[in-house]
Amino acid sequence: MALTPARTMPGVLELLPLDQIAFQRMLDTIRRNYERFGFLPIETPVIEYSDVLLTKTGGETERQVYFVQSTGSLGAAEKGEVPELALRFDLTVPLARYVAEHEHDLSFPFRRYQMQRVYRGERAQRGRFREFYQCDIDVIGKDSLSVRYDAEIPAVIYSVFRELNIGAFTIHLNNRKLMRGYFENLGIADATQQMLVLREVDKLDKRGPDYVRDTLTGDAFGLAADVADKILAFVQVRSTSVDDAFAKLDALGAGSEAFEQGRAELKEVLAMIRDFGVPETHFALNLSIARGLDYYTGTVYETTLNEHPGIGSICSGGRYENLAGQYTKSHLPGVGISIGLTRLYWQLRDAGLVSTAQSTVDVLVTQMDAAQMPTYLAVASELRSAGIATEVVLDGGKLGKQFKYADRAGIRFVVVLGEDEIAKGVVTVKDLRREDQFEVPRADLVKTLRVELAQAEIGR
Amino acid sequence: MALTPARTMPGVLELLPLDQIAFQRMLDTIRRNYERFGFLPIETPVIEYSDVLLTKTGGETERQVYFVQSTGSLGAAEKGEVPELALRFDLTVPLARYVAEHEHDLSFPFRRYQMQRVYRGERAQRGRFREFYQCDIDVIGKDSLSVRYDAEIPAVIYSVFRELNIGAFTIHLNNRKLMRGYFENLGIADATQQMLVLREVDKLDKRGPDYVRDTLTGDAFGLAADVADKILAFVQVRSTSVDDAFAKLDALGAGSEAFEQGRAELKEVLAMIRDFGVPETHFALNLSIARGLDYYTGTVYETTLNEHPGIGSICSGGRYENLAGQYTKSHLPGVGISIGLTRLYWQLRDAGLVSTAQSTVDVLVTQMDAAQMPTYLAVASELRSAGIATEVVLDGGKLGKQFKYADRAGIRFVVVLGEDEIAKGVVTVKDLRREDQFEVPRADLVKTLRVELAQAEIGR
């Protein structure tokens, strides 16, 4: 029989076990922090009805949807119909569907976290993923939701990224009402026009202020020179502290109702983030943050690594006016963020910021003599009962080969029980990380390894 | 705008948050035990190439596959071709592909666990799932793999189900070589014929021995009466201890080479399971276990709940001769099992064996006075730093409503900090589970709640 080449499609990240462990540790850290702030888990099916998934979206997203058909229904596509089922492309649409469907069984404000994979039929390209994890939190209110929840979100982000330990980071905040109001003041009232201007302004870092000013005052936009200058000054506002943010917000002068509401919200949110215990070094007003989606209506967030600006935002989101208008008449305002963990992990690994993990296996019990197997198994049982992950060599083979296996597999401790050791009632432990070995009475083995592993945990 | 009804397709299990927590705890328990035995995590993409996924399968499985097409490639199906991509229908085929693809980066024996969802286009029917979790472990050898690994698997099963705490269970063992040899001895040499006989014998419990004997000796099978009796006697063999199993295996008399090899393997495996510390009450020889798949070649396992035989096998698997022959020339024997957790959870809930969990949120900090918000946030920070999951009421509203929210959301402790409490330097804690309340100095709050929660953890 001819062999089928074993391969996966482009745009998926499949990891070797030790990398998978590193990835899993990041997932666990995110989950632990989400739970610590009182968010509840949900999971939704990967497959949704196409009409449910595609109510809101247009153009770009729809072109990237993966449709699903069971063998029996493959014929339907021949008629040129859109298949009935599709894979979710984010976790927000499924959340909206979930909340609308289970509205009467949920308590509001509904605080949910969801960490699952999503699917996009992207063109194959380095750093573009067709399957990737999103780790989302959202707080959904019924009828209303205090702006105070907008301040809680950065507290969660701070807690997550501090514990992920991937270097200094900054949470950038802006407010869509403030932006909208400011642009309206300048005579740019149309939302599409505002977005086009912002897209142009986004080129500031790459092309420089002169280029952007020329474009804005050129034929395409036709803005007056002083308007262009005001826009450039606005989007360059960054704060260094809460007090500095207040001063810079005040310096913007008076504005429309939307503008004033945005300013008041930003002030309340910034002051309260500090009350949440987030150090002022880790969040800042940044009036260039817009978030592409029309979806957001108030506070918006982006988070960047100070030493790795090239990675871009590692966690983004914001406040929206109504989550599930396409499914229910209930008014459900919310605020949330998303961490695209697959891409983040890939970028961090690329930048050398995460490395292959040690094995989840703590101890390998070697096999010197098959006749002693019951002893090896008993030792392994004792270790496992104490929560120490233990593998026993059952196949046998030369001891050197067994050590090599442990080393290659990233297992730190190797336990040797030969005739000598059994006679003396001791165990030889080889610490492959420290390249050290020691003898310990059999009765003290569990205690000794527990101490060693606890120290390693602290040092990690 | 007309509303789109919020709904999911039949055959998926979507849970409310407190049920999701119960489900997640089961997943965590399984993972913890898999890791304790030294299995390493892998995850594979949900979408695989159709040719990779469908090399081995025929008929039934292929009819249940979900094919995947991105918007751009929907046309391809019109030509009547099988779409290029499909959703995995189990974790074994992806494992085979993974091992073949990464063979040179893996250490053998390769011990992997994988807990992900799989997809089958089943007909909609109560208890049939189109999306469900499988929680698999496998040990894969290169060229060879000691039968001792067959004894380790029941040790893992025992450890998992003991900790899942869902009642008494029995791990049933048989060996395909023993069965095959026994049938050959009786003149039933054809594998298909053996399977047909076994399928008939499977009706024993429902139809009784007379019905089955009549069928076997009837036109369809044409077996001699003494052959039918021997088969019925064989499949009714159950052991009550390892010694009893040995005696019953010996009582089967001499047989072919395959038969003798199967008997020797079973004896080695049964004796060693005891060495692994599995109580003899929890595993047994059961010569009726066949496993439908042609895939298995040696030891086979099923696990049943003693008090709920109707649930059927909750964990099954066995030894196979070659994992990935369709992708690689390497000879990769293995042994493994699978827990279909979605169905199991659903059945256990149905039988009242798992209940809705308490919330993952331990404490709700109420809001008496918005002006005291910094104090509430500080208390919450202290609790979270101590690993206590804490939610703060940010929206406000009447205290009674806040209590009601906590109660409905399954949050056990409610913290109240009014004017009085703040003046006295204390906190009032309401324990909603015990319907009790007490006052504690603010400085002792963390310590007190930690003790309460640790006790609850022990009692769980």
Side-chain angles (χ1 to χ4, degrees):
Chain A
M1 194 181 76
L3 296 178
T4 304
R7 66 211 195 281
T8 53
M9 71 170 179
V12 300
L13 187 69
E14 181 167 87
L15 302 173
L16 290 171
L18 296 191
D19 290 324
Q20 184 67 47
I21 292 166
F23 188 87
Q24 185 62 48
R25 291 218 167 113
M26 294 182 79
L27 277 174
D28 290 343
T29 299
I30 295 169
R31 169 149 75 113
R32 190 167 53 246
N33 280 282
Y34 285 175
E35 290 192 350
R36 198 173 282 166
F37 275 82
F39 288 85
L40 299 170
I42 72 164
E43 292 195 340
T44 64
V46 159
I47 304 175
E48 297 265 1
Y49 282 119
S50 303
D51 69 325
V52 168
L53 219 45
L54 300 173
T55 47
K56 248 192 178 174
T57 60
E60 199 52 38
T61 311
E62 195 149 351
R63 276 204 297 280
Q64 295 186 350
V65 168
Y66 279 116
F67 291 100
V68 173
Q69 293 171 285
S70 61
T71 322
S73 66
L74 270 179
E78 293 188 46
K79 294 172 217 140
E81 288 167 16
V82 168
E84 191 189 11
L85 303 171
L87 301 183
R88 62 170 169 236
F89 50 82
D90 71 6
L91 299 179
T92 303
V93 176
L95 170 66
R97 194 266 308 145
Y98 182 97
V99 174
E101 186 173 345
H102 305 293
E103 195 176 333
H104 302 292
D105 295 312
L106 300 175
S107 302
F108 292 89
F110 176 51
R111 304 160 65 81
R112 87 87 172 75
Y113 75 86
Q114 186 171 0
M115 300 169 56
Q116 292 193 283
R117 295 172 179 215
V118 304
Y119 297 85
R120 293 188 193 169
E122 298 262 4
R123 219 151 33 91
Q125 198 181 332
R126 189 180 140 80
R128 285 277 178 188
F129 292 98
R130 291 173 173 176
E131 174 185 66
F132 57 97
Y133 268 99
Q134 287 197 329
C135 306
D136 286 18
I137 49 171
D138 285 86
V139 185
I140 313 297
K142 186 107 176 217
D143 302 320
S144 70
L145 184 75
S146 163
V147 74
R148 292 184 190 124
Y149 288 96
D150 296 23
E152 188 185 39
I153 297 287
V156 184
I157 299 174
Y158 171 69
S159 177
V160 166
F161 286 102
R162 189 185 49 168
E163 210 168 309
L164 282 177
N165 199 21
I166 52 175
F169 58 91
T170 306
I171 305 162
H172 306 268
L173 289 103
N174 196 359
N175 187 296
R176 294 292 294 256
K177 287 172 194 155
L178 182 91
M179 297 191 89
R180 184 157 56 83
Y182 193 81
F183 277 80
E184 280 164 8
N185 287 355
L186 296 176
I188 309 166
D190 180 62
T192 314
Q193 182 73 353
Q194 288 175 11
M195 284 312 297
L196 289 173
V197 171
L198 284 169
R199 198 174 299 162
E200 215 42 51
V201 167
D202 233 17
K203 298 175 185 164
L204 210 55
D205 285 346
K206 275 191 198 151
R207 305 291 189 98
D210 290 342
Y211 172 88
V212 174
R213 190 182 297 105
D214 286 351
T215 312
L216 291 180
T217 55
D219 287 347
F221 290 91
L223 298 179
D226 67 319
V227 169
D229 282 339
K230 276 185 180 160
I231 291 172
L232 285 176
F234 181 84
V235 298
Q236 288 182 79
V237 169
R238 308 278 184 282
S239 71
T240 54
S241 69
V242 172
D243 287 348
D244 182 50
F246 273 52
K248 281 174 174 155
L249 284 171
D250 288 338
L252 293 172
S256 67
E257 199 186 321
F259 180 85
E260 295 301 343
Q261 203 187 334
R263 174 153 57 190
E265 285 182 9
L266 265 176
K267 284 184 170 184
E268 185 172 354
V269 168
L270 287 163
M272 198 163 166
I273 295 173
R274 186 170 52 184
D275 291 339
F276 263 102
V278 181
E280 292 183 58
T281 44
H282 284 70
F283 66 101
L285 182 70
N286 178 339
L287 299 189
S288 77
I289 302 297
R291 304 302 307 144
L293 297 164
D294 288 334
Y295 189 55
Y296 297 116
T297 51
T299 313
V300 283
Y301 318 96
E302 288 190 358
T303 307
T304 55
L305 293 174
N306 297 357
E307 312 294 328
H308 301 270
I311 286 180
S313 180
I314 57 177
C315 171
S316 312
R319 156 75 69 148
Y320 38 88
E321 193 45 41
N322 193 14
L323 175 71
Q326 68 271 44
Y327 311 121
T328 172
K329 285 182 178 163
S330 298
H331 182 65
L332 301 167
V335 60
I337 46 124
S338 181
I339 302 173
L341 192 64
T342 301
R343 183 155 177 270
L344 176 59
Y345 170 83
W346 180 84
Q347 288 172 314
L348 292 174
R349 199 175 61 171
D350 213 42
L353 294 175
V354 290
S355 50
T356 294
Q358 284 218 0
S359 178
T360 41
V361 185
D362 301 313
V363 176
L364 182 75
V365 177
T366 55
Q367 185 188 131
M368 291 275 280
D369 176 4
Q372 294 297 340
M373 194 54 77
T375 307
Y376 304 143
L377 296 182
V379 167
S381 274
E382 288 164 25
L383 291 167
R384 286 173 188 144
S385 297
I388 298 172
T390 304
E391 176 179 345
V392 182
V393 177
L394 298 178
D395 254 333
K398 283 188 186 146
L399 203 58
K401 214 182 118 202
Q402 298 180 36
F403 281 128
K404 213 172 140 191
Y405 167 83
D407 193 38
R408 198 171 169 219
I411 303 172
R412 179 169 167 196
F413 293 106
V414 177
V415 161
V416 181
L417 266 157
E419 220 171 292
D420 284 4
E421 280 89 355
I422 291 174
K424 285 164 62 187
V426 299
V427 174
T428 298
V429 178
K430 254 181 104 99
D431 182 337
L432 294 182
R433 200 196 312 169
R434 291 214 197 117
E435 298 181 349
D436 187 18
Q437 82 171 51
F438 55 91
E439 220 177 73
V440 57
R442 163 97 186 261
D444 295 343
L445 177 65
V446 165
K447 203 174 60 191
T448 306
L449 288 178
R450 264 187 145 169
V451 170
E452 293 279 349
L453 289 164
Q455 282 171 347
E457 193 64 29
I458 294 163
R460 212 169 63 190
Chain B
M1 196 179 77
L3 295 179
T4 305
R7 67 210 195 281
T8 53
M9 71 170 179
V12 301
L13 187 69
E14 182 167 87
L15 303 172
L16 290 170
L18 297 191
D19 291 324
Q20 184 67 47
I21 292 168
F23 187 87
Q24 184 63 48
R25 291 218 168 110
M26 294 182 79
L27 277 175
D28 290 343
T29 299
I30 295 170
R31 167 148 76 112
R32 190 167 54 245
N33 280 282
Y34 284 175
E35 290 192 351
R36 199 173 282 164
F37 275 83
F39 289 84
L40 299 171
I42 72 165
E43 291 194 342
T44 64
V46 159
I47 304 175
E48 296 265 2
Y49 281 120
S50 302
D51 68 326
V52 168
L53 219 45
L54 300 173
T55 49
K56 249 192 178 174
T57 59
E60 200 52 38
T61 310
E62 194 148 352
R63 275 204 298 281
Q64 295 186 348
V65 169
Y66 279 115
F67 292 100
V68 172
Q69 293 170 282
S70 61
T71 322
S73 67
L74 271 178
E78 293 189 47
K79 293 170 217 141
E81 289 167 16
V82 169
E84 190 188 12
L85 302 172
L87 301 184
R88 61 170 170 237
F89 50 81
D90 71 7
L91 299 180
T92 303
V93 176
L95 171 66
R97 195 267 308 145
Y98 182 97
V99 174
E101 185 173 346
H102 305 293
E103 195 176 334
H104 302 293
D105 295 313
L106 300 175
S107 302
F108 291 89
F110 176 52
R111 304 161 66 80
R112 88 86 172 77
Y113 75 86
Q114 186 171 1
M115 301 168 57
Q116 293 192 283
R117 295 172 179 215
V118 303
Y119 297 85
R120 293 188 194 168
E122 299 262 4
R123 217 151 35 89
Q125 199 181 332
R126 188 179 142 80
R128 286 275 178 189
F129 292 98
R130 292 173 173 174
E131 173 184 67
F132 57 97
Y133 268 98
Q134 286 197 328
C135 307
D136 287 17
I137 49 171
D138 286 87
V139 185
I140 313 298
K142 185 109 178 214
D143 302 319
S144 69
L145 185 75
S146 164
V147 74
R148 292 185 191 124
Y149 288 96
D150 297 21
E152 187 185 39
I153 297 287
V156 184
I157 299 175
Y158 171 69
S159 178
V160 166
F161 286 102
R162 189 185 48 167
E163 210 167 312
L164 282 176
N165 199 21
I166 53 175
F169 58 91
T170 306
I171 305 162
H172 306 269
L173 289 102
N174 196 359
N175 187 296
R176 293 292 294 256
K177 287 172 195 158
L178 183 92
M179 297 190 90
R180 184 155 56 82
Y182 193 81
F183 278 79
E184 280 165 8
N185 287 354
L186 296 176
I188 309 166
D190 179 62
T192 312
Q193 182 73 352
Q194 288 176 10
M195 285 312 298
L196 289 174
V197 171
L198 285 169
R199 199 173 299 162
E200 215 42 49
V201 165
D202 233 17
K203 298 174 184 165
L204 210 53
D205 286 345
K206 275 191 198 153
R207 305 288 190 100
D210 290 342
Y211 172 88
V212 174
R213 190 183 296 105
D214 287 351
T215 312
L216 291 180
T217 55
D219 287 348
F221 291 91
L223 298 179
D226 66 320
V227 168
D229 282 339
K230 277 185 180 160
I231 291 171
L232 285 176
F234 181 84
V235 299
Q236 288 181 81
V237 169
R238 307 279 184 282
S239 70
T240 55
S241 68
V242 172
D243 288 347
D244 182 50
F246 273 52
K248 281 174 174 154
L249 284 170
D250 288 339
L252 294 172
S256 67
E257 200 187 319
F259 179 85
E260 295 301 342
Q261 204 187 333
R263 175 154 56 190
E265 285 181 8
L266 265 176
K267 284 184 170 182
E268 185 173 353
V269 168
L270 288 163
M272 197 161 167
I273 294 172
R274 187 171 49 186
D275 291 340
F276 262 103
V278 182
E280 293 184 57
T281 44
H282 283 70
F283 65 102
L285 183 70
N286 178 339
L287 299 189
S288 77
I289 303 298
R291 304 299 309 143
L293 296 164
D294 289 333
Y295 190 53
Y296 297 116
T297 52
T299 313
V300 283
Y301 318 95
E302 287 189 0
T303 307
T304 55
L305 293 174
N306 298 357
E307 310 295 327
H308 300 270
I311 285 181
S313 180
I314 58 176
C315 171
S316 313
R319 156 75 68 152
Y320 38 88
E321 192 46 41
N322 193 13
L323 175 72
Q326 67 271 46
Y327 310 122
T328 173
K329 286 182 178 162
S330 299
H331 183 67
L332 301 167
V335 60
I337 45 121
S338 182
I339 302 172
L341 192 64
T342 301
R343 184 155 176 271
L344 176 59
Y345 170 83
W346 181 84
Q347 288 171 314
L348 292 174
R349 200 175 60 169
D350 215 41
L353 294 175
V354 291
S355 50
T356 294
Q358 283 218 358
S359 178
T360 42
V361 184
D362 302 312
V363 176
L364 182 75
V365 178
T366 54
Q367 186 187 131
M368 291 275 280
D369 175 3
Q372 295 297 339
M373 195 54 77
T375 307
Y376 302 144
L377 296 181
V379 167
S381 275
E382 287 164 25
L383 291 167
R384 287 174 186 142
S385 298
I388 298 171
T390 304
E391 176 179 344
V392 183
V393 177
L394 298 178
D395 253 334
K398 284 189 186 147
L399 203 57
K401 215 183 117 202
Q402 298 180 35
F403 282 128
K404 214 173 141 191
Y405 167 83
D407 194 38
R408 200 173 168 215
I411 303 172
R412 179 170 167 195
F413 293 106
V414 177
V415 160
V416 181
L417 267 157
E419 222 172 291
D420 284 3
E421 280 91 355
I422 291 173
K424 285 165 63 187
V426 299
V427 173
T428 298
V429 178
K430 254 181 103 101
D431 182 337
L432 294 183
R433 201 198 309 171
R434 290 212 198 119
E435 298 181 348
D436 187 18
Q437 82 173 49
F438 54 91
E439 220 177 71
V440 58
R442 162 100 188 259
D444 295 342
L445 177 65
V446 166
K447 204 175 60 190
T448 306
L449 287 179
R450 264 188 146 166
V451 170
E452 293 281 348
L453 289 164
Q455 282 171 348
E457 191 65 30
I458 293 162
R460 216 170 59 190

